[in-house]
């Protein structure tokens, strides 16, 4: 790779190293995705070593995804202002350093603090990386690139459970964090050379810190209320008050975005049907995915007494199914449009999640979560293609930030809800909590299939603004 190749584009306007860049950005994104599920399988061991309860273990997942999602719009905005290359490299360095700190944790506070720092680095890296993918590729190539990116979300998450099992059963749970350090440093060195430099805008805008604080605080309040409901009940004044407070925070955020001189996001972009539908689909895809891994991990290890490695191996078919679902959908969506794959994917997820809800046995749980993964893998592709297929390059950073924000909020939401519904099984010996949690997830997927049928555009029209932009 010469400096001429790195800094210039071809006559067709396409960067000659775009596929190599996609590969390294994909590995970086894979680390962020893995850090949700690779930790899930280590949770029982982390809780035992550090003396953590159900709520603290749930926060080990939610603190990362909440910070990741809450600061995602800010990360996307910063990428638009100063260029994605700088933001990608900064995010990688923060994430790598935080991974080392988290692996060294000797208390619940240090563990959650490290997870928060990891989320902050991920919030810088992910939207900037996705905006590069959107701007480096055009037309059919963009659909293929987004298909690869989406496959990382589905298959990568499942592979994280296998990797988590190998590391936890081998050198120990701290290595689920340590493994990020050498990989992160290598990727930083390579991308510093490969990534193209994009000139910063001549007129700099302010960064909307108040908007970032409002959306993060509102989501933190909502997730706290959902986790707390596991002990205090779903229909209590405390839970209702926290949910209402979060709703007020989101309303204030929306009002502020319409009045701010340099808003964190253009709320009119979220009002576009494709972007709004894609955000909803990615929220549900991630929530259902995390529900599968969270419930499956605790069912196998806590209820059945399987080891971490045994549990990880049981998720191999899940990983394969998620990648197959993403790959098939990426190939078909250009011909069929988004609506049919969206309905089919959510229906498959609902059917798969209903299996363990009816029969709570190791073999039926394995079959059910594998079928559900086939659907969630497909949903990632549909969501990304729907939301990002028509955005202009100058909107790529913030549109990517919106999609990635709902991705992480879905993870936080999924972990919080299933943790609370399954609370009795997570701390006791009954299987009733697992059955109820799988039932809730199956119903949510079925309802979402109906919503997707009404909202998802049948076909995505070509982006008229793309050639001009």
């Amino acid at each position: 790779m010469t400096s001429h190749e790195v800094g210039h584009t071809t006559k067709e306007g396409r960067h000659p190293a775009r596929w190599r860049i996609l590969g390294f950005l994909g590995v970086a994104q894979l680390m962020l995705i893995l850090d949700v599920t690779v930790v899930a399988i280590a949770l029982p061991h982390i809780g035992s070593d550090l003396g953590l309860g159900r709520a603290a273990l749930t926060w080990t997942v939610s603190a990362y995804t909440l910070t990741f999602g809450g600061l995602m719009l800010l990360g996307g905005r910063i990428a638009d202002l100063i260029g994605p290359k700088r933001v990608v490299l900064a995010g990688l360095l923060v994430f790598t350093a935080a991974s080392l700190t988290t692996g060294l944790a000797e208390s619940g506070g240090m563990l959650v603090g490290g997870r928060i720092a990891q989320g902050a680095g991920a919030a810088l890296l992910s939207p900037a990386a996705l905006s590069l993918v959107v701007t480096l590729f055009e037309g059919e190539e963009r659909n293929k690139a987004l298909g690869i990116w989406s496959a990382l979300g589905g298959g990568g998450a499942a592979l994280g459970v296998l990797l988590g099992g190998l590391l936890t059963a081998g050198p120990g749970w701290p290595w689920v964090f340590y493994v990020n350090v050498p990989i992160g440093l290598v990727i930083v060195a390579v991308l510093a050379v490969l990534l193209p430099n994009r000139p910063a805008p001549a007129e700099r805008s302010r960064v909307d810190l108040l908007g970032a604080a409002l959306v993060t605080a509102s989501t933190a309040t909502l997730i706290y209320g959902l986790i707390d409901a596991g002990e205090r009940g779903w229909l209590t004044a405390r839970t209702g008050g926290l949910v209402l407070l979060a709703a007020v925070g989101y309303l204030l955020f929306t009002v502020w975005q319409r009045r701010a001189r340099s808003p964190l996001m253009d709320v009119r972009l979220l009002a576009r049907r494709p972007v709004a539908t894609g955000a909803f689909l990615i929220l549900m895809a991630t929530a259902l995915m995390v529900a599968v891994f969270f419930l499956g991990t605790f069912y196998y290890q806590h209820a059945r007494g399987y080891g971490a490695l045994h549990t990880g191996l049981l998720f191999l078919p899940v990983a394969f199914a998620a990648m197959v679902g993403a790959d098939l959908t990426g190939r078909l969506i250009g011909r069929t449009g988004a609506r049919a794959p969206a309905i089919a994917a959510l229906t498959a997820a609902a059917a798969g999640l209903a299996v363990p809800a009816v029969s709570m046995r190791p073999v039926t749980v394995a079959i059910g979560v594998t079928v559900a993964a086939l659907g969630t893998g497909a949903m990632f592709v549909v969501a990304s293609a729907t939301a990002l297929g028509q955005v202009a390059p100058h909107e790529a950073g913030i549109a990517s930030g919106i999609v990635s924000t709902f991705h992480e909020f879905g993870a936080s939401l999924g972990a919080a809800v299933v943790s609370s519904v399954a609370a009795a099984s997570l701390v006791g010996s009954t299987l009733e909590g697992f059955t109820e949690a799988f039932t809730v997830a199956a119903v949510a997927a079925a309802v979402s299939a109906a919503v997707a049928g009404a909202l998802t555009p049948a076909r995505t029209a070509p982006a008229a603004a793309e050639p001009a932009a």
Side-chain angles (χ1 to χ4, degrees):
M1 173 61 60
T2 65
S3 59
H4 177 81
E5 284 180 311
V6 172
H8 296 78
T9 58
T10 63
K11 291 181 179 180
E12 294 80 12
R14 299 178 181 180
H15 197 285
R18 60 191 180 279
W19 290 106
R20 277 170 282 181
I21 291 173
L22 175 64
F24 284 102
L25 289 176
V27 175
Q29 176 70 6
L30 185 60
M31 285 200 306
L32 309 187
I33 300 298
L34 289 176
D35 234 54
V36 178
T37 55
V38 76
V39 173
I41 200 165
L43 287 178
H45 295 266
I46 294 174
S48 177
D49 286 355
L50 301 183
L52 306 180
R54 181 195 66 85
L57 290 177
T58 305
W59 276 112
T60 303
V61 176
S62 294
Y64 173 72
T65 55
L66 177 59
T67 310
F68 192 172
L71 299 180
M72 191 78 73
L73 290 173
L74 184 62
R77 180 63 174 158
I78 293 173
D80 283 340
L81 293 178
I82 69 174
K85 178 177 180 176
R86 296 178 183 178
V87 180
V88 163
L89 297 179
L92 262 171
L93 289 173
V94 171
F95 180 83
T96 302
S99 296
L100 178 61
T101 302
T102 310
L104 295 171
E106 297 181 353
S107 67
M110 186 175 178
L111 179 73
V112 174
R115 294 290 281 166
I116 291 173
Q118 280 187 302
L124 291 172
L125 169 59
S126 187
L130 185 52
S131 74
L132 280 167
V133 174
V134 173
T135 53
L136 285 172
F137 296 90
E138 299 177 2
E140 186 59 30
E141 275 197 349
R142 179 185 287 183
N143 288 335
K144 292 179 181 178
L146 288 174
I148 295 172
W149 193 264
S150 301
L152 295 174
L159 288 174
V161 181
L162 175 61
L163 179 61
L166 292 170
L167 293 174
T168 303
W173 67 261
W175 281 91
V176 303
F177 304 109
Y178 290 154
V179 72
N180 294 327
V181 177
I183 298 174
L185 292 177
V186 169
I187 296 175
V188 166
V190 174
L191 289 182
V193 177
L194 282 183
L195 287 180
N197 290 304
R198 192 181 77 183
E203 184 176 340
R204 294 288 184 92
S205 301
R206 294 180 179 180
V207 176
D208 184 15
L209 296 178
L210 177 58
L214 279 172
V215 72
T216 305
S218 300
T219 307
T221 302
L222 176 62
I223 299 303
Y224 176 77
L226 295 176
I227 294 175
D228 189 60
E231 273 83 30
R232 301 180 183 273
W234 289 90
L235 301 178
T236 62
R238 179 186 176 92
T239 300
L242 289 170
V243 172
L244 179 61
L245 183 61
V248 171
Y250 286 130
L251 178 61
L252 291 175
F253 170 75
T254 303
V255 172
W256 171 248
Q257 293 306 286
R258 297 181 68 88
R259 296 184 178 182
R261 178 177 297 180
S262 300
L264 190 63
M265 64 170 287
D266 185 351
V267 293
R268 293 173 298 178
L269 187 62
L270 189 56
R272 295 181 191 174
R273 182 181 175 186
V275 177
T277 303
F280 167 74
L281 292 175
I282 202 75
L283 176 81
M284 292 307 304
T286 316
L288 295 173
M289 177 194 72
V290 169
V292 164
F293 295 128
F294 194 96
L295 293 173
T297 292
F298 275 94
Y299 169 74
Y300 287 133
Q301 294 190 75
H302 181 70
R304 296 299 178 185
Y306 295 170
L309 180 57
H310 189 178
T311 301
L313 291 173
L314 285 170
F315 275 91
L316 266 180
V318 179
F320 181 74
M323 289 186 287
V324 168
D327 181 65
L328 289 177
T329 306
R331 295 172 184 272
L332 294 174
I333 194 169
R335 297 194 295 269
T336 65
R339 183 182 298 166
I343 297 173
L346 283 163
T347 301
L353 291 165
V355 173
V358 174
S359 175
M360 187 63 62
R361 297 180 179 180
V363 64
T364 53
V365 171
I367 293 172
V369 297
T370 300
V371 174
L374 184 70
T376 56
M379 285 167 63
F380 284 116
V381 178
V382 177
S384 298
T386 302
L388 302 176
Q390 300 183 61
V391 298
H394 71 276
E395 300 173 317
I398 193 61
S400 302
I402 290 173
V403 172
S404 299
T405 295
F406 278 86
H407 181 285
E408 298 310 315
F409 284 175
S412 297
L413 185 66
V417 171
V418 299
S419 169
S420 293
V421 175
S425 294
L426 297 180
V427 298
S429 58
T430 178
L431 296 179
E432 184 178 352
F434 289 124
T435 300
E436 292 177 352
F438 275 114
T439 301
V440 168
V443 171
V447 172
S448 298
V451 174
L455 295 182
T456 309
R459 287 193 174 273
T460 302
E466 185 178 72

